[in-house]
Coordinates of all heavy atoms in Angstrom, one line a residue:
M519 N 2.5 -5.6 41.1 CA 3.5 -4.6 41.1 C 3.6 -4.1 42.6 O 4.6 -3.8 43.1 CB 3.3 -3.5 40.2 CG 4.5 -2.7 39.8 SD 5.7 -3.9 39.1 CE 6.9 -2.8 38.6
C520 N 2.5 -4.0 43.2 CA 2.5 -3.5 44.6 C 3.2 -4.4 45.5 O 3.9 -3.9 46.5 CB 1.0 -3.2 45.1 SG 0.2 -1.9 44.2
F521 N 2.9 -5.7 45.2 CA 3.6 -6.7 46.2 C 5.3 -6.6 46.1 O 5.9 -6.7 47.0 CB 3.2 -8.2 45.9 CG 1.8 -8.3 46.1 CD1 0.9 -8.6 45.1 CD2 1.3 -8.3 47.4 CE1 -0.4 -8.8 45.4 CE2 -0.1 -8.5 47.8 CZ -0.9 -8.8 46.6
V522 N 5.7 -6.3 44.9 CA 7.2 -6.1 44.6 C 7.7 -4.9 45.5 O 8.6 -5.1 46.3 CB 7.5 -5.9 43.2 CG1 8.8 -5.6 43.1 CG2 7.1 -7.3 42.4
F523 N 6.9 -3.8 45.4 CA 7.3 -2.7 46.2 C 7.2 -2.9 47.7 O 8.1 -2.5 48.4 CB 6.5 -1.4 45.7 CG 6.9 -0.9 44.5 CD1 5.9 -0.8 43.4 CD2 8.2 -0.6 44.1 CE1 6.4 -0.3 42.2 CE2 8.6 -0.1 42.9 CZ 7.6 0.0 41.9
L524 N 6.1 -3.5 48.1 CA 6.0 -3.9 49.6 C 7.1 -4.8 50.0 O 7.8 -4.6 51.1 CB 4.7 -4.5 49.8 CG 3.5 -3.6 50.0 CD1 2.3 -4.3 50.2 CD2 3.8 -2.7 51.2
F525 N 7.4 -5.8 49.1 CA 8.6 -6.7 49.5 C 9.9 -5.9 49.5 O 10.7 -6.2 50.5 CB 8.7 -7.8 48.4 CG 9.7 -8.8 48.5 CD1 9.7 -9.7 49.6 CD2 10.8 -8.8 47.7 CE1 10.8 -10.6 49.8 CE2 11.9 -9.6 47.8 CZ 11.9 -10.6 48.9
L526 N 10.2 -5.0 48.7 CA 11.4 -4.3 48.6 C 11.4 -3.3 49.9 O 12.5 -3.0 50.5 CB 11.6 -3.4 47.4 CG 12.0 -4.3 46.1 CD1 11.9 -3.4 44.9 CD2 13.3 -4.9 46.4
F527 N 10.2 -2.8 50.3 CA 10.2 -1.9 51.4 C 10.5 -2.5 52.7 O 11.2 -1.9 53.6 CB 8.7 -1.3 51.5 CG 8.5 -0.4 52.6 CD1 9.1 1.0 52.6 CD2 7.9 -0.7 53.7 CE1 8.9 1.9 53.6 CE2 7.5 0.1 54.8 CZ 8.2 1.4 54.7
F528 N 10.1 -3.7 52.9 CA 10.3 -4.5 54.2 C 11.7 -5.2 54.2 O 12.1 -5.8 55.2 CB 9.3 -5.5 54.4 CG 8.1 -4.9 54.8 CD1 6.9 -5.1 54.0 CD2 7.9 -4.1 55.9 CE1 5.7 -4.4 54.3 CE2 6.7 -3.5 56.3 CZ 5.6 -3.7 55.5
M529 N 12.5 -5.1 53.2 CA 13.8 -5.7 53.1 C 14.8 -4.7 53.8 O 14.6 -3.5 53.8 CB 14.4 -6.0 51.7 CG 13.5 -7.1 51.1 SD 14.0 -7.5 49.4 CE 15.6 -8.2 49.6
N530 N 15.9 -5.2 54.2 CA 17.0 -4.3 54.8 C 17.8 -3.8 53.5 O 17.6 -4.2 52.4 CB 18.0 -5.1 55.6 CG 18.8 -6.3 55.1 OD1 18.6 -6.5 53.8 ND2 19.4 -7.0 55.9
K531 N 18.7 -2.7 53.7 CA 19.2 -1.9 52.7 C 20.2 -2.8 51.8 O 20.3 -2.7 50.7 CB 19.9 -0.7 53.2 CG 19.0 0.3 53.7 CD 19.7 1.5 54.0 CE 18.6 2.6 54.4 NZ 19.2 3.9 54.5
E532 N 20.9 -3.7 52.4 CA 21.8 -4.5 51.7 C 21.2 -5.5 50.8 O 21.5 -5.5 49.6 CB 22.7 -5.3 52.6 CG 23.7 -4.5 53.5 CD 24.5 -5.4 54.5 OE1 24.5 -6.7 54.3 OE2 25.0 -4.9 55.4
S533 N 20.1 -6.1 51.2 CA 19.4 -7.1 50.4 C 18.6 -6.4 49.3 O 18.5 -6.9 48.1 CB 18.3 -7.9 51.2 OG 19.0 -8.6 52.1
R534 N 18.1 -5.2 49.6 CA 17.3 -4.3 48.7 C 18.2 -3.9 47.6 O 17.8 -4.0 46.4 CB 16.7 -3.2 49.3 CG 15.8 -2.3 48.5 CD 15.2 -1.1 49.2 NE 14.8 -1.4 50.6 CZ 14.8 -0.7 51.6 NH1 15.2 0.6 51.3 NH2 14.4 -0.9 52.8
G535 N 19.4 -3.6 47.8 CA 20.4 -3.1 46.8 C 20.7 -4.4 45.8 O 20.9 -4.2 44.6
K536 N 20.9 -5.5 46.4 CA 21.2 -6.7 45.6 C 20.1 -7.1 44.7 O 20.2 -7.5 43.5 CB 21.5 -7.9 46.5 CG 22.9 -7.7 47.1 CD 23.2 -8.9 48.0 CE 24.5 -8.7 48.7 NZ 24.9 -9.8 49.6
V537 N 18.8 -6.9 45.2 CA 17.6 -7.3 44.4 C 17.4 -6.3 43.3 O 17.2 -6.6 42.1 CB 16.3 -7.4 45.2 CG1 15.0 -7.4 44.5 CG2 16.4 -8.5 46.2
I538 N 17.7 -5.0 43.6 CA 17.5 -4.0 42.5 C 18.7 -4.1 41.5 O 18.4 -3.9 40.3 CB 17.6 -2.6 43.1 CG1 16.3 -2.4 43.9 CG2 17.8 -1.5 42.1 CD1 16.2 -1.1 44.7
E539 N 19.9 -4.5 41.9 CA 21.0 -4.8 41.0 C 20.7 -6.0 40.1 O 21.0 -5.9 38.9 CB 22.3 -5.0 41.8 CG 23.5 -5.3 40.9 CD 24.7 -5.5 41.6 OE1 24.7 -5.4 42.9 OE2 25.6 -6.0 41.1
Y540 N 20.1 -7.0 40.7 CA 19.7 -8.2 39.9 C 18.7 -7.8 38.8 O 18.7 -8.3 37.5 CB 19.1 -9.3 40.7 CG 18.6 -10.4 39.9 CD1 19.5 -11.3 39.3 CD2 17.3 -10.7 39.7 CE1 19.0 -12.4 38.5 CE2 16.7 -11.6 38.9 CZ 17.6 -12.5 38.4 OH 17.1 -13.5 37.6
F541 N 17.6 -7.1 39.2 CA 16.7 -6.6 38.2 C 17.3 -5.7 37.1 O 16.9 -5.8 36.0 CB 15.4 -5.9 38.8 CG 14.5 -6.7 39.6 CD1 14.0 -6.3 40.8 CD2 14.0 -7.9 39.0 CE1 13.1 -7.1 41.5 CE2 13.1 -8.6 39.6 CZ 12.6 -8.3 40.9
A542 N 18.1 -4.8 37.5 CA 18.8 -4.0 36.5 C 19.7 -4.8 35.5 O 19.7 -4.7 34.3 CB 19.7 -2.9 37.1
W543 N 20.3 -5.9 36.0 CA 21.1 -6.7 35.2 C 20.2 -7.5 34.2 O 20.5 -7.7 33.1 CB 22.0 -7.6 36.1 CG 23.0 -8.6 35.3 CD1 22.8 -9.9 35.3 CD2 24.0 -8.1 34.4 NE1 23.8 -10.4 34.5 CE2 24.6 -9.4 33.9 CE3 24.5 -7.0 34.0 CZ2 25.6 -9.4 33.0 CZ3 25.6 -7.0 33.1 CH2 26.0 -8.2 32.6
F544 N 19.1 -8.0 34.7 CA 18.2 -8.8 34.0 C 17.6 -7.9 32.9 O 17.6 -8.4 31.7 CB 17.0 -9.3 34.9 CG 16.0 -10.1 34.1 CD1 16.2 -11.4 33.7 CD2 14.8 -9.5 33.7 CE1 15.3 -12.1 33.0 CE2 13.9 -10.2 33.0 CZ 14.1 -11.5 32.7
W545 N 17.2 -6.7 33.1 CA 16.6 -5.9 32.1 C 17.7 -5.5 31.0 O 17.4 -5.3 29.9 CB 15.9 -4.7 32.6 CG 14.6 -5.1 33.2 CD1 14.4 -5.0 34.7 CD2 13.4 -5.6 32.6 NE1 13.1 -5.5 34.9 CE2 12.6 -5.9 33.7 CE3 13.2 -5.9 31.3 CZ2 11.3 -6.4 33.4 CZ3 11.9 -6.4 31.2 CH2 11.0 -6.7 32.2
F546 N 18.9 -5.4 31.5 CA 20.0 -5.0 30.6 C 20.2 -6.2 29.7 O 20.3 -6.0 28.4 CB 21.3 -4.7 31.3 CG 22.5 -4.6 30.3 CD1 22.7 -3.4 29.6 CD2 23.4 -5.6 30.2 CE1 23.7 -3.4 28.6 CE2 24.5 -5.6 29.4 CZ 24.6 -4.3 28.6
K547 N 20.3 -7.5 30.2 CA 20.4 -8.7 29.4 C 19.2 -8.8 28.5 O 19.4 -9.2 27.3 CB 20.6 -9.9 30.2 CG 21.9 -9.9 30.9 CD 22.1 -11.1 31.9 CE 21.7 -12.4 31.4 NZ 21.8 -13.5 32.4
F548 N 18.0 -8.5 28.9 CA 16.8 -8.6 28.1 C 16.9 -7.6 26.8 O 16.7 -8.1 25.7 CB 15.6 -8.1 29.0 CG 14.3 -8.5 28.4 CD1 13.7 -9.7 28.6 CD2 13.5 -7.5 27.7 CE1 12.5 -10.0 28.0 CE2 12.3 -7.8 27.2 CZ 11.8 -9.1 27.4
A549 N 17.3 -6.5 27.1 CA 17.4 -5.6 26.0 C 18.6 -6.0 25.0 O 18.5 -5.9 23.7 CB 17.7 -4.1 26.4
A550 N 19.6 -6.5 25.5 CA 20.8 -7.0 24.8 C 20.4 -8.1 23.9 O 20.9 -8.2 22.7 CB 22.0 -7.2 25.5
V551 N 19.7 -9.0 24.4 CA 19.1 -10.1 23.7 C 18.2 -9.7 22.5 O 18.3 -10.3 21.3 CB 18.5 -11.2 24.6 CG1 17.7 -12.2 23.8 CG2 19.5 -11.9 25.5
I552 N 17.4 -8.8 22.7 CA 16.5 -8.3 21.6 C 17.4 -7.7 20.5 O 17.1 -8.1 19.3 CB 15.5 -7.3 22.0 CG1 14.5 -8.0 23.1 CG2 14.8 -6.6 20.9 CD1 13.5 -7.1 23.7
A553 N 18.3 -6.9 20.8 CA 19.2 -6.4 19.8 C 20.0 -7.4 19.2 O 20.2 -7.5 18.0 CB 20.2 -5.4 20.4
L554 N 20.5 -8.5 19.9 CA 21.3 -9.7 19.3 C 20.4 -10.4 18.3 O 20.9 -10.8 17.3 CB 21.9 -10.6 20.4 CG 22.5 -11.7 20.0 CD1 23.9 -11.4 19.4 CD2 22.7 -12.7 21.1
L555 N 19.2 -10.7 18.6 CA 18.3 -11.4 17.8 C 18.0 -10.6 16.5 O 18.1 -11.2 15.4 CB 17.0 -11.7 18.5 CG 17.0 -12.9 19.5 CD1 15.7 -13.0 20.2 CD2 17.5 -14.3 18.9
F556 N 17.9 -9.3 16.6 CA 17.7 -8.5 15.4 C 18.9 -8.6 14.4 O 18.9 -8.7 13.3 CB 17.3 -7.1 15.6 CG 15.8 -6.9 16.0 CD1 15.4 -6.6 17.2 CD2 15.0 -7.2 14.9 CE1 14.0 -6.4 17.5 CE2 13.5 -7.0 15.2 CZ 13.1 -6.7 16.4
V557 N 20.1 -8.5 15.1 CA 21.5 -8.6 14.3 C 21.6 -9.9 13.6 O 21.9 -10.0 12.5 CB 22.6 -8.2 15.2 CG1 23.9 -8.6 14.5 CG2 22.6 -6.8 15.7
I558 N 21.3 -11.0 14.4 CA 21.3 -12.4 13.8 C 20.4 -12.5 12.7 O 20.8 -13.0 11.7 CB 21.0 -13.5 14.9 CG1 22.2 -13.5 15.9 CG2 20.9 -14.8 14.3 CD1 22.0 -14.3 17.1
N559 N 19.2 -12.0 12.8 CA 18.2 -12.1 11.8 C 18.6 -11.3 10.5 O 18.5 -11.7 9.3 CB 16.8 -11.7 12.1 CG 16.1 -12.7 12.9 OD1 16.3 -13.9 12.7 ND2 15.3 -12.2 13.8
Y560 N 19.3 -10.2 10.8 CA 19.8 -9.3 9.7 C 21.0 -10.0 8.9 O 20.9 -10.0 7.7 CB 20.3 -7.9 10.2 CG 20.6 -7.0 9.2 CD1 19.7 -6.3 8.5 CD2 21.9 -6.5 9.1 CE1 19.9 -5.4 7.5 CE2 22.2 -5.6 8.1 CZ 21.2 -5.0 7.4 OH 21.6 -4.1 6.4
V561 N 21.8 -10.6 9.7 CA 23.0 -11.4 9.1 C 22.3 -12.6 8.3 O 22.8 -12.8 7.1 CB 24.0 -11.8 10.1 CG1 25.0 -12.7 9.5 CG2 24.7 -10.6 10.7
F562 N 21.5 -13.3 8.8 CA 20.9 -14.5 8.1 C 20.1 -14.1 6.8 O 20.0 -14.9 6.0 CB 20.0 -15.3 9.0 CG 20.9 -16.3 10.0 CD1 20.2 -16.8 11.0 CD2 22.2 -16.5 9.7 CE1 20.9 -17.7 11.9 CE2 22.8 -17.3 10.6 CZ 22.2 -18.0 11.6
S563 N 19.6 -12.9 6.8 CA 18.9 -12.4 5.6 C 19.9 -12.3 4.5 O 19.4 -12.4 3.3 CB 18.1 -11.2 5.9 OG 19.0 -10.1 6.1
F564 N 21.1 -11.9 4.7 CA 22.1 -11.8 3.6 C 22.7 -13.2 3.2 O 22.9 -13.3 2.1 CB 23.2 -10.9 4.0 CG 22.9 -9.4 4.0 CD1 22.9 -8.7 5.2 CD2 22.5 -8.8 2.9 CE1 22.5 -7.4 5.2 CE2 22.1 -7.4 2.9 CZ 22.2 -6.7 3.9
V565 N 22.7 -14.1 4.1 CA 23.3 -15.4 3.8 C 22.3 -16.2 3.0 O 22.7 -17.1 2.2 CB 23.7 -16.2 5.1 CG1 24.2 -17.5 4.7 CG2 24.6 -15.3 5.8
K566 N 21.0 -16.0 3.0 CA 20.0 -16.7 2.2 C 19.9 -18.2 2.7 O 19.7 -19.0 1.8 CB 20.2 -16.6 0.8 CG 20.4 -15.1 0.2 CD 19.1 -14.5 0.1 CE 19.2 -13.2 -0.6 NZ 18.4 -12.1 -0.1
W567 N 20.0 -18.5 3.9 CA 19.9 -19.8 4.4 C 18.4 -20.2 4.7 O 18.0 -21.4 4.9 CB 20.7 -20.1 5.6 CG 22.1 -20.3 5.4 CD1 22.7 -20.5 4.1 CD2 23.1 -20.1 6.4 NE1 24.0 -20.5 4.4 CE2 24.4 -20.3 5.7 CE3 23.2 -19.9 7.7 CZ2 25.6 -20.4 6.4 CZ3 24.4 -19.9 8.3 CH2 25.6 -20.1 7.7
G568 N 17.6 -19.2 4.7 CA 16.2 -19.4 5.1 C 15.9 -19.6 6.5 O 15.0 -20.2 6.9
I569 N 16.8 -19.2 7.3 CA 16.7 -19.4 8.8 C 16.4 -18.1 9.4 O 17.1 -17.1 9.2 CB 17.9 -20.1 9.5 CG1 18.1 -21.4 8.9 CG2 17.7 -20.2 10.9 CD1 19.5 -22.1 9.4
Q570 N 15.4 -18.0 10.3 CA 15.0 -16.8 11.0 C 14.8 -17.1 12.4 O 14.0 -18.0 12.6 CB 13.8 -16.0 10.4 CG 14.1 -15.5 9.1 CD 12.8 -14.8 8.5 OE1 11.7 -15.1 9.0 NE2 13.0 -13.9 7.5
L571 N 15.5 -16.5 13.4 CA 15.3 -16.7 14.7 C 14.0 -15.9 15.2 O 14.0 -14.8 14.8 CB 16.4 -16.4 15.6 CG 17.7 -17.3 15.4 CD1 18.8 -16.8 16.3 CD2 17.3 -18.7 15.9
P572 N 13.1 -16.5 15.9 CA 12.0 -15.7 16.3 C 12.3 -14.7 17.3 O 13.1 -14.9 18.3 CB 11.0 -16.7 16.9 CG 11.9 -17.8 17.3 CD 13.1 -17.8 16.4
V573 N 11.8 -13.5 17.1 CA 11.9 -12.3 18.1 C 10.6 -12.3 18.9 O 9.9 -11.4 18.6 CB 12.4 -11.1 17.5 CG1 12.7 -10.0 18.6 CG2 13.7 -11.3 16.7
N574 N 10.4 -13.2 19.8 CA 9.3 -13.1 20.6 C 9.5 -13.2 22.1 O 10.7 -13.5 22.5 CB 8.2 -14.2 20.2 CG 8.8 -15.6 20.2 OD1 9.6 -15.8 21.0 ND2 8.3 -16.4 19.5
L575 N 8.5 -13.2 22.9 CA 8.8 -13.1 24.3 C 9.4 -14.4 24.9 O 10.3 -14.3 25.7 CB 7.5 -12.8 25.1 CG 7.6 -12.6 26.6 CD1 8.5 -11.4 26.9 CD2 6.3 -12.4 27.2
F576 N 8.9 -15.5 24.3 CA 9.5 -16.9 24.8 C 11.0 -16.9 24.5 O 11.9 -17.3 25.4 CB 8.8 -18.0 24.1 CG 9.3 -19.3 24.4 CD1 9.3 -19.9 25.7 CD2 10.1 -20.0 23.4 CE1 9.9 -21.2 25.8 CE2 10.7 -21.1 23.6 CZ 10.6 -21.8 24.8
S577 N 11.4 -16.6 23.3 CA 12.8 -16.8 22.9 C 13.7 -15.8 23.6 O 14.8 -16.1 24.0 CB 12.9 -16.7 21.3 OG 12.5 -15.5 20.9
V578 N 13.2 -14.6 23.7 CA 13.9 -13.6 24.4 C 14.2 -13.8 25.9 O 15.3 -13.8 26.4 CB 13.3 -12.1 24.3 CG1 14.0 -11.2 25.2 CG2 13.3 -11.7 22.8
V579 N 13.1 -14.4 26.6 CA 13.3 -14.7 28.0 C 14.2 -16.0 28.2 O 15.1 -16.0 29.0 CB 11.9 -14.9 28.7 CG1 12.0 -15.5 30.1 CG2 11.1 -13.6 28.7
T580 N 14.1 -16.9 27.2 CA 14.8 -18.2 27.3 C 16.3 -17.8 27.2 O 17.2 -18.3 27.9 CB 14.3 -19.2 26.2 OG1 13.1 -19.4 26.4 CG2 15.3 -20.4 26.3
I581 N 16.7 -17.0 26.2 CA 17.9 -16.7 26.0 C 18.6 -15.7 27.1 O 19.7 -15.8 27.5 CB 18.2 -16.0 24.6 CG1 17.9 -17.0 23.4 CG2 19.6 -15.4 24.3 CD1 17.7 -16.3 22.1
T582 N 17.7 -14.8 27.6 CA 18.1 -14.1 28.7 C 18.5 -14.8 29.9 O 19.5 -14.6 30.6 CB 17.0 -13.0 29.0 OG1 16.7 -12.2 27.9 CG2 17.4 -12.1 30.3
I583 N 17.6 -15.8 30.3 CA 17.8 -16.5 31.4 C 19.1 -17.6 31.2 O 20.0 -17.6 32.1 CB 16.7 -17.3 31.9 CG1 15.6 -16.3 32.3 CG2 16.9 -18.3 32.9 CD1 14.3 -16.8 32.6
L584 N 19.1 -18.3 30.0 CA 20.1 -19.4 29.9 C 21.4 -18.8 29.2 O 22.4 -19.5 29.4 CB 19.5 -20.5 29.0 CG 18.3 -21.2 29.6 CD1 17.8 -22.2 28.5 CD2 18.7 -21.9 30.8
G585 N 21.3 -17.7 28.5 CA 22.6 -17.3 27.9 C 22.9 -18.0 26.7 O 21.9 -18.3 25.8
L586 N 24.1 -18.4 26.4 CA 24.5 -19.2 25.2 C 23.7 -20.5 25.0 O 23.4 -20.8 23.9 CB 26.0 -19.4 25.3 CG 26.7 -20.0 24.0 CD1 26.4 -19.2 22.8 CD2 28.1 -20.3 24.2
P587 N 23.5 -21.3 26.1 CA 22.7 -22.4 25.9 C 21.3 -22.1 25.4 O 20.7 -22.8 24.6 CB 22.6 -23.1 27.2 CG 23.9 -22.7 27.8 CD 24.1 -21.3 27.4
G588 N 20.8 -20.9 25.7 CA 19.5 -20.5 25.3 C 19.5 -20.2 23.8 O 18.5 -20.7 23.0
I589 N 20.6 -19.6 23.3 CA 20.7 -19.3 21.9 C 20.8 -20.7 21.1 O 20.1 -20.9 20.1 CB 21.9 -18.5 21.5 CG1 21.8 -17.1 22.1 CG2 22.2 -18.5 20.1 CD1 23.1 -16.2 22.0
I590 N 21.5 -21.7 21.6 CA 21.6 -22.9 21.0 C 20.3 -23.6 21.0 O 19.9 -24.2 20.0 CB 22.7 -23.8 21.6 CG1 24.1 -23.2 21.5 CG2 22.7 -25.2 21.2 CD1 25.2 -23.7 22.4
C591 N 19.6 -23.6 22.2 CA 18.2 -24.2 22.3 C 17.2 -23.6 21.3 O 16.6 -24.4 20.6 CB 17.8 -24.1 23.7 SG 16.1 -24.9 24.0
V592 N 17.1 -22.3 21.2 CA 16.2 -21.7 20.3 C 16.6 -21.9 18.9 O 15.8 -22.3 18.1 CB 16.1 -20.2 20.6 CG1 15.3 -19.5 19.5 CG2 15.4 -20.0 21.9
S593 N 17.8 -22.0 18.5 CA 18.3 -22.2 17.2 C 18.0 -23.6 16.8 O 17.6 -24.0 15.7 CB 19.8 -22.0 17.1 OG 20.2 -20.7 17.4
F594 N 18.2 -24.6 17.8 CA 17.9 -26.0 17.4 C 16.5 -26.2 17.2 O 16.1 -26.9 16.2 CB 18.3 -26.9 18.7 CG 18.0 -28.4 18.6 CD1 18.8 -29.1 17.8 CD2 17.0 -28.8 19.2 CE1 18.4 -30.4 17.5 CE2 16.6 -30.2 19.1 CZ 17.4 -31.0 18.2
L595 N 15.6 -25.5 17.9 CA 14.2 -25.7 17.7 C 13.8 -25.1 16.4 O 12.9 -25.7 15.7 CB 13.4 -24.9 18.8 CG 13.4 -25.5 20.2 CD1 12.7 -24.6 21.3 CD2 12.7 -26.9 20.1
V596 N 14.3 -23.9 15.9 CA 14.1 -23.4 14.6 C 14.6 -24.4 13.5 O 13.9 -24.6 12.5 CB 14.7 -22.0 14.4 CG1 14.7 -21.6 13.0 CG2 14.1 -21.0 15.4
I597 N 15.7 -24.9 13.7 CA 16.2 -25.9 12.7 C 15.4 -27.1 12.5 O 15.1 -27.6 11.5 CB 17.8 -26.2 13.0 CG1 18.5 -24.9 12.7 CG2 18.2 -27.3 12.0 CD1 20.0 -25.0 13.2
M598 N 15.0 -27.6 13.7 CA 14.2 -28.8 13.7 C 12.8 -28.5 13.1 O 12.2 -29.5 12.4 CB 14.0 -29.4 15.1 CG 15.3 -30.0 15.7 SD 16.1 -31.1 14.6 CE 15.0 -32.5 14.7
K599 N 12.2 -27.3 13.2 CA 11.0 -27.0 12.7 C 11.2 -26.9 11.1 O 10.2 -27.2 10.3 CB 10.6 -25.6 13.2 CG 9.3 -25.2 12.6 CD 8.8 -23.9 13.2 CE 7.5 -23.4 12.6 NZ 7.2 -22.0 13.1
K600 N 12.3 -26.5 10.6 CA 12.6 -26.4 9.2 C 12.7 -27.9 8.5 O 12.3 -28.1 7.4 CB 13.8 -25.8 8.9 CG 13.8 -24.3 8.9 CD 13.0 -23.8 7.7 CE 13.3 -22.4 7.4 NZ 12.6 -21.9 6.4
I601 N 13.1 -28.8 9.3 CA 13.3 -30.2 8.7 C 12.1 -30.9 8.6 O 11.1 -30.9 8.8 CB 14.4 -31.0 9.5 CG1 15.6 -30.4 9.5 CG2 14.3 -32.5 9.2 CD1 16.7 -31.1 10.4

């Protein structure tokens, strides 16, 4: 963590603002993905298909970085595990 602060300290103000904005956007997407996975699991619990998307660090980071293809990738892995 100290290296991150040193890195930000030695950057100019324009670059520092962009890096901080990227981190803020990443953490917002991270929180939104966790909420989305809980909603998807809640909906699937009513449908009784027996599918549950995992709410763990791997699936959350994958979906956060990839977006919609990440949801498709994690869903595909869960379906292939069921078969």
Side-chain angles (χ1 to χ4, degrees):
M519 199 64 173
C520 293
F521 293 115
V522 173
F523 287 122
L524 279 174
F525 179 70
L526 288 173
F527 179 73
F528 288 118
M529 292 176 69
N530 60 9
K531 287 189 178 189
E532 293 176 15
S533 299
R534 189 180 316 151
K536 289 180 183 179
V537 169
I538 291 173
E539 181 181 348
Y540 174 76
F541 281 138
W543 181 244
F544 178 80
W545 288 113
F546 172 75
K547 285 174 50 177
F548 192 84
V551 165
I552 291 173
L554 177 72
L555 285 175
F556 276 114
V557 168
I558 289 173
N559 280 331
Y560 189 71
V561 168
F562 280 167
S563 70
F564 284 116
V565 178
K566 305 282 189 220
W567 285 343
I569 298 173
Q570 292 180 341
L571 291 179
V573 183
N574 57 24
L575 187 62
F576 172 76
S577 60
V578 170
V579 170
T580 303
I581 295 171
T582 300
I583 293 172
L584 296 178
L586 185 59
I589 294 174
I590 294 169
C591 179
V592 170
S593 301
F594 178 74
L595 290 173
V596 168
I597 290 170
M598 291 308 289
K599 184 179 175 183
K600 281 289 208 186
I601 293 179

